[in-house]
Amino acid sequence: MAAQPKKEKKDGEFMVKVATFIVDRRNLFFLLFGIALIFSVVSMNWVKVENAMSAYLPDTTETRQGLDCMEEQFITYGTAKVMVTNIPYEQADKIAEDIENMDAVIMLAFDSTEEHYNNFSALYDITFGYKETDDRALEALAEVEAMLKGYDIYVSTSMGDASAEQIAGEMQIISVLVAIVVISVLLLTSETWAEVPVLLLTFCAAALITKGTNFMMGTISFVSNSVTIVLQLALSIDYAVIFCNRYKEEHQKLSVREADIMALSKAIPEISSSSLTTVGGLIAMMFMQFGIGSDMALCLIRAIVLSLLAVFLLMPGLIMLFGNAMDKTRHKNFIPKIPFVGKFAYATKYIMPPLFLVLIIAAYVVSSKCPYVYGYTMLETPVESDTMVADAMIRESFGDSNMVAMIVPAGNYEKEKRLLEELETREEIDYTMGLANTEAMDGYMLTDKLTARDFSELLELDYEIAEVLYMAYAVNDENYAKIINGLSTYSVPLIDMFMFLYDEVEEGYVTLDDDMMDTLEDAHTKMQIALDQLQGKEYNRMLVYLNLPEEGMETFAFLDEMHKIASKYYEGTILIPGEATSQYDLYKTFQRDNTVVNVVSILAVLVVLLFTFMSAGMPVLLIMVIQGVIWINFSVPSIQQKNVFFMSYLIVSSIQMGANIDYAIVISGRFLELKEKMSKRDAIIETMNFAFPTIVTSGSMLALAGILIGQMSSDGAICGIGQCLGRGTIMSIIIVMFVLPQILLLGEKIIDKTSFAVSIPLKPEKNSGLMRVDGIVNGQINGTVIGEMHGFIRGDANLFVNMGKMEIREDDGSDLSLIVQKEREEEIENEK
């Protein structure tokens, strides 16, 4: 064989020592993994899952700032829309009365208008007396549902984690199906039955420890929590398969222990190098402004690292345990040779590359028009959750409701009134709700200013009492000029005077009769709810109901217009949080994230490939192929005009660039090695025969995992990731099998000319006996030679082997021509 430089030799000796330590200390690693697995079973329940996509928006976005402000300044009570179908209005009105009488219900909106009763269906807008995050609000909703048992009801609420629970249940089913797929594929592609449990135990250990270490991140997104394990399987099963195949290759000449050691020493650098392209693609997601990208990247990178540790530290010990069983359970290889693919590649090497170039240019143009969306309302999923069904039924009977909040500086009811009046003149707005346009009683709005006489007439209160009350308010407000100049013209906002009167009664300064006290109590309750939700210490909140869809350029433009309108009345911070604004923020972050993710993923993979192939041309060709597949992948929804959740593109393009390029590396690396030993036609045929089992094993798992996620998840983001990943992986397999070989054949001169590999000084190899020689050789031979470049020698050889190898063969004394003929017959049989 070709002599190796000293550094390579030392590295090889070091890896053998490391591998020997791991194999011989396998019981230690069994113990360590056992402890880690027991710990993971306990710790997997510690992880916190964030179900709100808006929580991952950057702090600089309007949605994030608005949500933080609302949490600090206002109380958001638990609310629910409950629709009861197939009931007459009289019965619906009786139900409304029963709901309103419940202790936990503080407000109920229901009347005979089409907004609440339509098509024999009643819609109740219920507000509970607890915060949205309070479990008691959910308990109160459960009481309402129990009261309506026997009716056809549909409930829509933002409280609780009903959707998260359904997603978790779906992913459990998907995980079981993926496990069945994995076992089936491994059985089909295995050469011995006993290798299957080795691979499964390795992966299961890695998956369980991954789930058990999620708590280290504090909180993870519902997307990461749902798909990490499934994607870990699909992305990292390659590592275990590569090591297993290397072991079987070494075991042909060595015992179980020696083969295990040698296989591990060679697999560690090989697998580590392979994983770098995947990690490189995932690192690109960490540069996203949208935090779910970083969250998912960290989860998957940790999963890949743990998979590597399981393969390097646990699997060698498992091979020692199952080694004898693997020898006894060998069976026929079910994966056929595919020489026709290599022959097709050689025959079409001048046809397929130009066609592919035209295809990816067209795909780039088409995919650039892919209809990306930033919310769930415009997405279709094969499976609908209970929440989606309820929302659809309510929407069908009562229409859409697109509400945003407008947060402005507090302290001026007049400005608020004028702002709300101007907003309601816009055709884009259905109606608004704020303190300044909410009716209190008898036509007066909450913020209307009343004099003492107006107030006394409204409440049927003695004028003298009202006058004393107004005087006390002026003193409390330090408005002494009104006391001196007279109170007849002194006016106070109705809500302020009501709240002041209630406080005075509570403190015993004012006494009212029972009827008046009931009126005051009822008014105070409703006003306090309004204040909690609409007035804070520094800001006031108004609710604006739009006649526009939740997303779209028209909606986004009008949100900007609302800012301009509000800025005419207020200086300082003006925020408009809401679902529409959240999607507008996501739209703006996508414009940046799209470019950053593509550039970083390509650069990261490019660096790895440069040092893998020591050529500038090869990385460019491989990245062009996979990037082309990504464009083709996202041309499909563009042609179908099927909406794609923006996050699906960012995540799938990163994973596809990092993971699918491994298939291209397998083919390219093998071809570069073989083309120096045989004709290019034979090299590409042998390459495709070699690469097919690896590609079909890994690719089918990733594709099927994606398809199952895409067809069985009710969440738009998770479903989109699965659909795009499954479709993209299938396309990658097709392209690397039927287009990449032709590109390599046509571009191999470019690859060679752009190589910057350092030539290694050669040492002559001296051998005696029967030898097979492949490569360019230079030296002396003392004996009989037959063959041209690739042939056999019987005798003494003292050769420099440049780009090739020299193998010692067992010599049975047969004539050299018979040996050559026999080997040729075996090659022909293998090609068949």
Side-chain angles (χ1 to χ4, degrees):
M1 294 182 67
Q4 296 178 330
K6 290 182 179 179
K7 184 178 182 302
E8 242 180 75
K9 212 166 192 178
K10 287 182 179 178
D11 289 344
E13 291 174 357
F14 173 75
M15 292 311 304
V16 170
K17 290 180 180 178
V18 171
T20 303
F21 176 82
I22 293 171
V23 172
D24 290 344
R25 298 291 186 275
R26 55 188 176 276
N27 290 333
L28 170 62
F29 292 108
F30 286 155
L31 176 63
L32 293 176
F33 271 87
I35 294 171
L37 289 170
I38 293 171
F39 175 80
S40 297
V41 171
V42 177
S43 64
M44 69 173 59
N45 298 314
W46 299 348
V47 67
K48 296 179 181 177
V49 179
E50 176 58 66
N51 297 304
M53 194 132 350
S54 58
Y56 291 92
L57 283 166
D59 292 337
T60 55
T61 59
E62 185 173 9
T63 300
R64 184 73 266 143
Q65 292 175 7
L67 291 175
D68 291 343
C69 180
M70 289 195 296
E71 185 176 351
E72 178 186 337
Q73 296 279 324
F74 311 104
I75 294 175
T76 301
Y77 288 98
T79 60
K81 289 180 181 289
V82 178
M83 184 174 81
V84 183
T85 61
N86 302 315
I87 56 171
Y89 178 76
E90 294 74 17
Q91 191 175 359
D93 194 45
K94 177 63 172 63
I95 291 174
E97 186 179 335
D98 293 339
I99 294 175
E100 197 166 17
N101 289 334
M102 295 177 65
D103 293 336
V105 175
I106 56 174
M107 191 179 296
L108 175 71
F110 178 76
D111 52 39
S112 59
T113 64
E114 288 189 357
E115 291 181 356
H116 291 104
Y117 187 80
N118 188 33
N119 296 328
F120 292 97
S121 297
L123 181 64
Y124 305 100
D125 286 318
I126 305 172
T127 302
F128 300 101
Y130 308 106
K131 289 185 179 180
E132 189 176 38
T133 55
D134 194 324
D135 289 339
R136 290 176 295 178
L138 280 174
E139 293 170 4
L141 177 58
E143 289 180 25
V144 173
E145 292 175 332
M147 188 183 76
L148 297 175
K149 189 176 182 181
Y151 292 97
D152 293 329
I153 67 171
Y154 299 91
V155 180
S156 175
T157 181
S158 59
M159 299 187 300
D161 295 325
S163 296
E165 292 171 5
Q166 180 157 346
I167 291 171
E170 290 167 355
M171 292 310 301
Q172 287 178 356
I173 296 172
I174 291 171
S175 297
V176 171
L177 292 176
V178 169
I180 294 172
V181 167
V182 168
I183 294 171
S184 301
V185 172
L186 290 178
L187 288 172
L188 182 66
T189 58
S190 66
E191 295 177 4
T192 166
W193 301 122
E195 74 184 61
V196 176
V198 172
L199 297 172
L200 290 177
L201 287 171
T202 302
F203 172 75
C204 288
L208 193 58
I209 295 173
T210 297
K211 201 167 181 63
T213 53
N214 280 339
F215 78 95
M216 296 168 62
M217 294 182 63
T219 301
I220 64 173
S221 71
F222 70 98
V223 179
S224 300
N225 188 56
S226 299
V227 303
T228 295
I229 298 301
V230 176
L231 291 182
Q232 178 185 13
L233 166 64
L235 291 173
S236 62
I237 195 70
D238 269 358
Y239 310 147
V241 171
I242 290 172
F243 179 35
C244 188
N245 289 340
R246 177 68 73 175
Y247 164 75
K248 288 182 290 186
E249 184 180 334
E250 296 292 337
H251 190 42
Q252 292 177 2
K253 299 174 286 185
L254 301 171
S255 65
V256 172
R257 177 180 175 275
E258 282 69 27
D260 199 3
I261 292 171
M262 292 306 299
L264 182 59
S265 67
K266 295 176 181 178
I268 289 176
E270 181 181 354
I271 294 172
S272 299
S273 175
S274 174
S275 68
L276 287 177
T277 54
T278 305
V279 172
L282 294 173
I283 285 175
M285 291 164 56
M286 298 179 66
F287 287 83
M288 289 169 56
Q289 284 182 309
F290 190 39
I292 280 186
S294 178
D295 178 84
M296 198 165 179
L298 289 172
C299 284
L300 285 172
I301 290 172
R302 178 165 43 83
I304 287 172
V305 170
L306 290 170
S307 295
L308 289 173
L309 291 175
V311 170
F312 295 156
L313 302 179
L314 178 63
M315 191 171 169
L318 293 174
I319 287 177
M320 292 297 294
L321 286 179
F322 286 85
N324 293 331
M326 290 171 67
D327 292 338
K328 295 176 182 177
T329 57
R330 291 187 177 276
H331 60 80
K332 179 184 176 183
N333 189 351
F334 300 115
I335 302 298
K337 297 287 186 180
I338 52 168
F340 65 90
V341 173
K343 293 175 182 177
F344 171 78
Y346 192 79
T348 58
K349 60 183 177 181
Y350 297 112
I351 300 173
M352 296 304 291
L355 289 178
F356 181 67
L357 183 60
V358 172
L359 177 62
I360 62 174
I361 292 173
Y364 170 75
V365 175
V366 174
S367 65
S368 65
K369 300 176 182 177
C370 186
Y372 297 111
V373 295
Y374 308 92
Y376 283 8
T377 55
M378 299 176 68
L379 289 174
E380 295 180 3
T381 57
V383 178
E384 288 191 338
S385 66
D386 295 339
T387 301
M388 294 167 67
V389 172
D391 288 342
M393 292 295 291
I394 293 173
R395 189 163 52 246
E396 183 180 340
S397 295
F398 298 98
D400 282 323
S401 177
N402 181 13
M403 186 270 288
V404 295
M406 179 176 280
I407 300 173
V408 297
N412 195 316
Y413 292 143
E414 287 299 321
K415 286 183 178 180
E416 180 176 321
K417 182 179 180 179
R418 295 200 304 272
L419 172 58
L420 290 171
E421 287 174 349
E422 180 172 351
L423 288 173
E424 291 209 340
T425 63
R426 298 299 297 256
E427 62 179 16
E428 295 93 345
I429 293 176
D430 185 11
Y431 66 96
T432 62
M433 185 185 299
L435 290 175
N437 67 352
T438 299
E439 185 176 352
M441 54 198 310
D442 293 349
Y444 285 108
M445 301 300 162
L446 287 172
T447 61
D448 284 351
K449 289 187 174 182
L450 276 68
T451 62
R453 184 165 297 282
D454 295 331
F455 190 72
S456 67
E457 291 175 357
L458 177 66
L459 292 184
E460 298 179 355
L461 187 68
D462 287 341
Y463 177 69
E464 290 76 11
I465 296 176
E467 200 170 33
V468 171
L469 186 64
Y470 267 64
M471 187 179 296
Y473 186 90
V475 171
N476 186 68
D477 198 35
E478 298 182 356
N479 199 340
Y480 303 109
K482 291 296 182 181
I483 301 173
I484 298 172
N485 298 328
L487 293 170
S488 60
T489 60
Y490 183 35
S491 59
V492 177
L494 175 59
I495 190 169
D496 292 349
M497 185 52 68
F498 250 110
M499 302 307 287
F500 181 73
L501 173 58
Y502 184 84
D503 290 340
E504 294 294 294
V505 171
E506 284 288 294
E507 293 175 12
Y509 298 126
V510 177
T511 304
L512 302 175
D513 60 40
D514 291 343
D515 290 341
M516 184 63 69
M517 197 63 207
D518 289 341
T519 302
L520 181 62
E521 288 279 2
D522 183 57
H524 174 266
T525 299
K526 293 179 179 178
M527 290 182 184
Q528 188 61 55
I529 292 169
L531 286 173
D532 288 342
Q533 298 189 90
L534 301 176
Q535 189 175 71
K537 293 179 180 179
E538 299 170 330
Y539 295 95
N540 277 8
R541 176 165 63 172
M542 293 164 274
L543 306 181
V544 182
Y545 291 82
L546 304 176
N547 290 321
L548 297 169
E550 282 189 355
E551 71 173 277
M553 298 314 297
E554 184 184 5
T555 303
F556 298 159
F558 187 67
L559 291 173
D560 291 334
E561 183 69 17
M562 287 176 65
H563 274 282
K564 293 178 182 177
I565 294 171
S567 64
K568 292 191 297 184
Y569 300 93
Y570 293 95
E571 295 179 357
T573 302
I574 298 171
L575 299 169
I576 308 178
E579 193 60 39
T581 306
S582 173
Q583 293 172 29
Y584 190 18
D585 287 333
L586 291 172
Y587 165 77
K588 288 184 283 190
T589 61
F590 178 63
Q591 307 310 303
R592 172 194 175 275
D593 287 347
N594 185 20
T595 302
V596 170
V597 167
N598 285 331
V599 171
V600 174
S601 62
I602 288 174
L603 288 177
V605 173
L606 180 65
V607 170
V608 175
L609 294 179
L610 278 172
F611 289 98
T612 299
F613 291 103
M614 293 296 179
S615 167
M618 179 63 84
V620 172
L621 290 176
L622 297 189
I623 289 175
M624 180 189 72
V625 169
I626 299 302
Q627 184 60 58
V629 177
I630 293 172
W631 289 333
I632 296 170
N633 184 15
F634 286 93
S635 294
V636 174
S638 182
I639 293 170
Q640 296 174 336
Q641 281 301 294
K642 183 178 179 181
N643 293 333
V644 176
F645 193 56
F646 79 103
M647 192 174 69
S648 302
Y649 171 77
L650 294 173
I651 291 174
V652 170
S653 60
S654 297
I655 293 175
Q656 208 173 335
M657 177 58 73
N660 291 175
I661 205 165
D662 282 349
Y663 311 152
I665 292 173
V666 170
I667 292 174
S668 304
R670 190 69 169 186
F671 174 72
L672 292 181
E673 179 185 342
L674 293 178
K675 76 184 184 72
E676 303 299 337
K677 304 176 183 178
M678 56 187 75
S679 67
K680 293 174 188 175
R681 181 179 182 277
D682 291 342
I684 203 65
I685 291 173
E686 182 60 32
T687 294
M688 300 314 296
N689 283 336
F690 166 81
F692 181 62
T694 302
I695 294 173
V696 76
T697 301
S698 174
S700 61
M701 289 182 188
L702 185 55
L704 289 170
I707 290 170
L708 287 171
I709 292 173
Q711 294 301 312
M712 298 184 67
S713 176
S714 61
D715 182 85
I718 296 172
C719 172
I721 291 171
Q723 289 176 341
C724 296
L725 187 60
R727 182 178 62 240
T729 301
I730 292 172
M731 290 178 172
S732 294
I733 293 172
I734 293 172
I735 295 300
V736 299
M737 291 293 293
F738 296 99
V739 177
L740 178 62
Q742 290 90 325
I743 292 175
L744 292 174
L745 286 166
L746 197 62
E748 56 102 12
K749 289 183 179 178
I750 297 175
I751 296 169
D752 289 343
K753 288 182 179 180
T754 57
S755 173
F756 51 85
V758 179
S759 298
I760 299 171
L762 299 177
K763 293 182 179 179
E765 293 190 38
K766 297 181 179 180
N767 286 304
S768 298
L770 180 63
M771 291 157 275
R772 168 74 191 245
V773 179
D774 290 289
I776 301 172
V777 300
N778 184 355
Q780 297 178 343
I781 298 172
N782 181 19
T784 306
V785 181
I786 185 169
E788 195 171 282
M789 293 298 295
H790 308 283
F792 287 88
I793 299 172
R794 177 177 282 144
D796 300 320
N798 183 12
L799 301 174
F800 289 96
V801 182
N802 182 18
M803 300 175 71
K805 62 181 179 180
M806 179 189 295
E807 295 178 336
I808 298 295
R809 295 291 184 88
E810 186 177 343
D811 192 355
D812 59 3
S814 301
D815 186 82
L816 277 183
S817 59
L818 294 176
I819 293 174
V820 173
Q821 182 180 352
K822 182 179 179 182
E823 179 139 325
R824 182 57 184 158
E825 289 173 354
E826 289 178 356
E827 289 177 355
I828 294 172
E829 185 64 28
N830 288 335
E831 288 181 5
K832 292 180 181 179

